[in-house]
Amino acid sequence: MATFDPRVTPARADLGAKFLEGKVAARRYAEGRVMEIIAPQAPLRGEPRPDAPLVTEALLGERVAVYDENAEGWSWGQLADDNYVGWLPSGALAPSGPVPTHRVAAIRTFVFPGPDIKLPPVEALPFGAKLNIARFADRMAVTRAGAFVPAVHLKPAGDYEADFVAVAERFLGVPYLWGGKTALGVDCSGLVQIALTACGVSCPRDSDMQEEALGAPVPARADFSELQRGDLVFWKGHVAIVRERGSLLHANAFHMAVAIEPIADAVVRIRGTSSAITSVRRMAR
């Protein structure tokens, strides 16, 4: 049998996705049920328990192929957007509905029970959440469920951002959170994925996957003179975005936030942890 990355392969010793039968070993295989995320954001964990480490987050409207569910309220499946596999709270899932028409383009917005912003919000939605909008009423977008969202905070699903660095800059100061993908907390590769996805660029979840899949290699010179805005700088287990010739933007555990840092300072600091730049990748323009 071939070897597959378990992060993006829906297969365990006891269960595998039906489409992997004959490719991976499992005691049985199952067809996936297409579900969607109905919570603003849902934690995806490596094990079906609330204290298991967060590996990524799924956002409202995202599709999931579910292959297993346990009695403790956890569902095991694969996210449609980046193929990540793990356990989600079953209560955050429902059978998939109409295709989303819009996405949240503000780093956070509120959902109101009526067309009045003085009403107490019923929930808050993260950047990138997907909604099916039935109609617009004045300055509000009305979902099929009858909830109201400020229209100015939404964009049509296919209306992409032009500058992924500018998208990432909106998250400046957001706390660092391993596995996070929202303005409540984000990690280094999550920030890159959020920003590129908003620009219509398919992006894997983890930094090693991104290093392999994104852009074209750029020779790294000692003075960093070759770096341009939008280049991605990789270390083992970390990625940063070149903001301008002399600075980086990255979510990092040193600042415990999304921060701007001089490139030279970051290189010296990270070298102190016995890690050197592994590559620089340039995105197509």
Side-chain angles (χ1 to χ4, degrees), residues 63-203:
R63 267 46 179 178
V64 186
V66 173
Y67 297 97
D68 190 19
E69 185 175 0
N70 69 19
E72 287 72 46
W74 292 88
S75 292
W76 183 75
Q78 183 172 38
L79 303 180
D81 287 357
D82 61 16
N83 296 322
Y84 223 99
V85 174
W87 291 91
L88 291 156
S90 299
L93 298 169
S96 59
V99 174
T101 60
H102 290 74
R103 62 179 177 83
V104 175
I107 66 166
R108 204 151 188 84
T109 191
F110 291 110
V111 178
F112 298 93
D116 186 351
I117 61 171
K118 295 179 182 178
L119 293 171
V122 295
E123 59 188 4
L125 302 181
F127 183 91
K130 302 172 186 177
L131 299 163
N132 187 281
I133 300 301
R135 61 187 176 89
F136 289 85
D138 195 13
R139 300 182 62 197
M140 304 294 275
V142 186
T143 70
R144 289 190 177 275
F148 291 74
V149 182
V152 70
H153 289 169
L154 303 180
K155 281 191 173 185
D159 184 359
Y160 295 117
E161 305 279 351
D163 182 354
F164 86 92
V165 183
V167 174
E169 287 173 332
R170 298 181 205 170
F171 288 78
L172 186 63
V174 166
Y176 180 84
L177 175 66
W178 181 273
K181 282 181 57 175
T182 78
L184 293 178
V186 67
D187 65 13
C188 65
S189 54
L191 180 66
V192 170
Q193 188 184 55
I194 289 167
L196 286 174
T197 300
C199 295
V201 178
S202 179
C203 180

Side-chain angles (χ1 to χ4, degrees), residues 18-32:
K18 186 69 174 177
F19 71 86
L20 291 172
E21 189 169 7
K23 300 176 183 178
V24 300
R27 287 196 290 273
R28 65 183 180 91
Y29 300 88
E31 297 283 359

